[in-house]
Amino acid sequence: AESQTNGEDCLLKGCAERDDAHRSLGRDEHRQHIEDLRSQLDAARFARDDARASAESSRHDHEMAMLEARCERRIDHLLLAGYMRVLRRTFLRGWRGSILNIHPSLLPEFPGLHAQRRQWDAGVRVAGATVHYVDDGVDTGPILLQGSIDVRGDEGAEGLSERILEEVERVIYARAVRLFLERQQRAIARKEPENTNPGAAGSKRPD
């Protein structure tokens, strides 16, 4: 899962773009929403720093450090970018459907490392990036969103990598985060009881 995208920046953009979901909020509710978002981002930064600190540790210790950060910081989601490790199934069990990764190719083509150069070397006419859910394989999780660009043919491998980053990755990750959160909101709403007034059902008008 090789990528240069800043996942934290995409989280900021993705959450900030959720205007439709909050247009009806009053001023106090909107202020609370902003504070909640700041808290989530603080938690994400702490988790990122913890993950970096454990990057050279064993696979087991690294994943344990991430789980501890999740519990301590009450983290609900993980956004991966440039995270070149395969997470074990035992770790993923508690994060089902809650981890996204961005990969610089149009999956399922060119999974794994050096995807940009491999696309250039293969002479593809269309290149791009994919945001996908994370499973225990190498860039094999279900696809959430993709974006593409036409390859000019004169940019070279490094130039193509830069174009994928600037023109695709930094655009679609923010959109994917928004889509991801909106889908989760709808799923939560479907689980909530339709009648929010327990006394309404079967109530009688006073005589």
Side-chain angles (χ1 to χ4, degrees), residues 80-92:
L80 305 181
Y83 183 83
M84 290 175 280
R85 286 176 178 248
V86 176
L87 294 167
R88 293 182 299 178
R89 190 172 301 176
T90 52
F91 175 86
L92 293 170

Side-chain angles (χ1 to χ4, degrees), residues 125-186:
R125 295 184 177 182
V126 177
T130 303
V131 180
H132 63 93
Y133 293 96
V134 173
D135 60 14
D136 59 343
V138 177
D139 302 316
T140 54
I143 292 171
L144 177 60
L145 191 65
Q146 291 183 311
S148 64
I149 53 173
D150 292 329
V151 180
R152 295 195 308 264
D154 61 353
E155 55 263 54
E158 291 186 4
L160 180 59
S161 177
E162 185 66 22
R163 287 191 63 207
I164 292 173
L165 172 64
E166 294 293 338
E167 299 177 36
V168 185
E169 292 186 61
R170 288 182 173 171
V171 176
I172 68 168
Y173 212 175
R175 292 176 181 171
V177 170
R178 181 179 182 181
L179 177 61
F180 172 61
L181 295 175
E182 287 176 348
R183 285 184 177 180
Q184 288 207 331
Q185 285 181 333
R186 289 197 295 268

Side-chain angles (χ1 to χ4, degrees), residues 90-107:
T90 52
F91 175 86
L92 293 170
R93 192 173 296 137
W95 293 85
R96 191 179 302 276
S98 298
I99 307 179
L100 295 181
N101 180 56
I102 187 163
H103 179 75
S105 79
L106 294 170
L107 293 173

Side-chain angles (χ1 to χ4, degrees), residues 8-203:
E8 184 179 322
D9 288 345
C10 289
L11 176 60
L12 277 165
K13 291 178 182 178
C15 292
E17 288 177 359
R18 293 169 64 198
D19 293 335
D20 292 342
H22 298 284
R23 282 178 180 171
S24 62
L25 292 179
R27 183 173 298 176
D28 291 340
E29 292 174 294
H30 181 70
R31 186 180 295 112
Q32 183 60 51
H33 166 66
I34 295 300
E35 291 302 318
D36 290 344
L37 177 56
R38 286 174 178 166
S39 296
Q40 293 173 33
L41 291 174
D42 285 341
R45 293 186 185 102
F46 278 114
R48 175 200 62 193
D49 293 341
D50 288 344
R52 284 176 177 171
S54 64
E56 299 302 322
S57 64
S58 70
R59 190 177 186 186
H60 175 267
D61 291 344
H62 173 72
E63 292 182 358
M64 287 301 297
M66 293 178 68
L67 287 173
E68 289 174 5
R70 177 192 184 184
C71 294
E72 291 174 3
R73 306 294 176 181
R74 300 176 64 184
I75 297 168
D76 294 324
H77 314 103
L78 286 180
L79 301 181
L80 305 181
Y83 183 83
M84 290 175 280
R85 286 176 178 248
V86 176
L87 294 167
R88 293 182 299 178
R89 190 172 301 176
T90 52
F91 175 86
L92 293 170
R93 192 173 296 137
W95 293 85
R96 191 179 302 276
S98 298
I99 307 179
L100 295 181
N101 180 56
I102 187 163
H103 179 75
S105 79
L106 294 170
L107 293 173
E109 300 296 323
F110 305 101
L113 297 175
H114 312 304
Q116 303 98 317
R117 174 168 291 279
R118 287 160 52 211
Q119 289 173 87
W120 175 259
D121 291 344
V124 300
R125 295 184 177 182
V126 177
T130 303
V131 180
H132 63 93
Y133 293 96
V134 173
D135 60 14
D136 59 343
V138 177
D139 302 316
T140 54
I143 292 171
L144 177 60
L145 191 65
Q146 291 183 311
S148 64
I149 53 173
D150 292 329
V151 180
R152 295 195 308 264
D154 61 353
E155 55 263 54
E158 291 186 4
L160 180 59
S161 177
E162 185 66 22
R163 287 191 63 207
I164 292 173
L165 172 64
E166 294 293 338
E167 299 177 36
V168 185
E169 292 186 61
R170 288 182 173 171
V171 176
I172 68 168
Y173 212 175
R175 292 176 181 171
V177 170
R178 181 179 182 181
L179 177 61
F180 172 61
L181 295 175
E182 287 176 348
R183 285 184 177 180
Q184 288 207 331
Q185 285 181 333
R186 289 197 295 268
I188 292 172
R190 286 196 295 268
K191 293 179 181 179
E192 292 177 351
E194 295 183 5
N195 186 0
T196 57
N197 182 1
S203 60

